[in-house]
């Protein structure tokens, strides 16, 4: 398919806010690569209509070239790969991968159990390979300066409702340290990994050259596989506390998921560690076990992973900085694709966090009222507050429900590990709405 850049088709999108769209009127707002057609987006009969919408999606590419996209990719792979490589092996990307990029800040060898170290070492060397791919593909710019301390602490400030510039030591007596243990490192690795998985998949549609596109598809599929391993390791630890918070892995994951989902625009895409939402590949709904189902593969009911545009990725990583400087990137990204500005040069395309009042997207719980009640072997099985933090149920359905798949495994039993007796979990006092 010829990839076209059509900016003029975009005006219709700008006014649509988060309301459902009429069939044939275009994509979900802010650069989502999905159509909102009720019969779409993968309906061959609708392709003549959707061709216009796909062209609109291509506007996320704006006037960027394949070289610009490969250079953007280099930023993302450097960010993920150097963190993983240092965290597991204690070695940074070599000079042929960094191409002179400066040492980053806040990375280093993590304090990991043998099991996690082993699994994540495979991921790390594969991530080095991703870095190599970007160099083979022609990515010629140095790795950007990344401040992981700033990036993760800015994200955690957001997910606990703190003001910019604060960190969670205000609440918990210590800042977030991604290298502290299995839980903190896995949460940090998968946070970045899933931006690679979804962002690389988004680039597959934006690239013109099929050879490069195929290579980037390989990055997306392997990153998705890495993320599934990371999710499974976290699922096994889902009731463990996350230092220094008093919340569990499942709950902190839910906050991180809600953050990424809010920062990438109004559409619903990101998913937590536990699954209960029937708009996705959910096994069930209205089930006493809801919230206990493992969610290793965050997909829609068709089993498809989702995509993000570069602008969405930048917005997430820079904590919504319009200049593209902030969060993980104190000097911004290298290359031409370096701001979250999407769709057209005047629209920012992405909402600030948290969303405006009319936003149908889920919001993130505010900090406060930490529930001191321990989780015991008798329950609760659903982490208090967790369902408030994962995807809300009031958004547009991409496809009606899991029932359209025709199979509902009634006998399916959730996997459960013995609860730890003294884990404190947070109960959000409410949600932010704008
Ligand atoms: C670009 O976005 C702005 C803000 O949403 C809008 O006013 C303008 O009409 C858009 N321009 C084009 C060419 O779509
Ligand atoms: C595909 O789109 C056509 C035209 O709108 C519609 O008639 C048909 O029902 C759609 N197919 C599905 C499976 O939704
Ligand atoms: C891309 O578009 C922007 C905004 O219109 C413009 O400033 C820039 O010069 C363009 N770049 C190229 C390479 O055409
Ligand atoms: C970098 O690449 C050059 C050329 O292939 C090679 O000679 C050199 O050994 C490489 N350096 C490292 C650190 O791998
Ligand atoms: C990195 O971030 C930390 C935490 O925000 C900050 O104290 C430090 O000055 C930053 N370093 C650089 C070089 O930006
Ligand atoms: C977290 O739990 C510890 C130990 O029970 C307690 O001392 C501390 O006050 C709790 N922190 C918050 C913010 O509730
Ligand atoms: C789940 O329960 C809600 C509230 O009772 C109800 O509106 C909804 O239809 C139920 N969904 C399913 C799939 O049973």
């Amino acid at each position: 398919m010829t990839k076209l850049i059509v900016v003029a088709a975009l005006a219709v999108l700008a006014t649509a806010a988060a309301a459902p769209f009429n069939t044939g009127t275009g994509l979900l707002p802010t650069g989502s690569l999905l159509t909102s057609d009720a019969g779409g987006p993968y309906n061959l009969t609708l392709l003549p209509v959707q061709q216009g919408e796909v062209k609109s999606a291509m506007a996320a590419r704006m006037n960027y070239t394949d070289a610009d996209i490969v250079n953007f990719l280099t930023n993302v792979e450097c960010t993920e790969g150097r963190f993983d490589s240092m965290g597991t092996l204690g070695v940074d990307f070599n000079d042929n991968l960094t191409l002179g990029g400066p040492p980053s800040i806040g990375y280093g060898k993590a304090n990991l159990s043998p099991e996690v170290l082993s699994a994540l070492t495979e991921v790390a060397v594969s991530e080095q390979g991703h870095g190599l791919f970007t160099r083979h593909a022609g990515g010629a710019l140095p790795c950007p300066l990344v401040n992981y301390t700033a990036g993760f602490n800015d994200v955690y400030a957001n997910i606990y409702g703190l003001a910019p510039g604060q960190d969670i030591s205000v609440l918990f007596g210590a800042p977030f340290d991604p290298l502290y243990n299995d839980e903190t490192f896995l949460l940090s690795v998968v946070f970045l990994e899933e931006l690679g998985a979804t962002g690389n998949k988004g680039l597959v549609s934006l690239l013109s050259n099929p050879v490069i596109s195929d290579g980037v598809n390989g990055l997306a599929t392997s990153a998705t596989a890495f993320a599934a391993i990371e999710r499974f390791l976290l699922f096994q630890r889902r009731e463990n506390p996350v230092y220094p918070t008093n919340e569990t892995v499942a709950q902190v994951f839910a906050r991180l998921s809600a953050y990424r989902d809010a920062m990438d625009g109004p559409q619903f895409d990101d998913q937590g560690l536990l699954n209960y939402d029937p708009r996705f590949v959910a096994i069930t709904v209205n089930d006493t076990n809801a919230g206990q189902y493992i969610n290793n593969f965050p997909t829609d009911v068709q089993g498809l992973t989702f995509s993000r545009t570069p602008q969405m990725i930048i917005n997430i990583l820079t904590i919504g900085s319009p200049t593209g400087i902030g969060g993980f990137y104190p000097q911004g990204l290298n290359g031409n694709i370096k701001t979250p500005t999407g769709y057209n040069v005047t629209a920012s395309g992405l909402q600030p966090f948290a969303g405006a009042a009319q936003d149908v997207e889920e919001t993130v719980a505010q900090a406060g009222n930490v529930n001191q009640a321990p989780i015991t072997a008798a329950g609760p099985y659903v982490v208090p507050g967790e369902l408030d933090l994962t995807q809300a149920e009031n958004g547009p359905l991409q496809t009606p429900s899991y029932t359209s798949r025709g199979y509902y495994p009634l006998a399916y039993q959730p996997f459960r590990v013995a609860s730890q007796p003294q884990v404190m979990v947070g109960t959000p006092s409410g949600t932010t709405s704008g």
Side-chain angles (χ1 to χ4, degrees), residues 171-172 246 370 372 424:
L171 296 173
F172 302 115
N246 282 2
V370 174
Q372 298 292 318
M424 302 298 173

Side-chain angles (χ1 to χ4, degrees), residues 28-49:
L28 291 170
T30 72
S32 170
L33 293 168
L34 282 178
T35 174
S36 58
D37 285 348
Y42 305 104
N43 178 335
L44 287 170
T45 315
L46 285 174
L47 285 186
V49 174

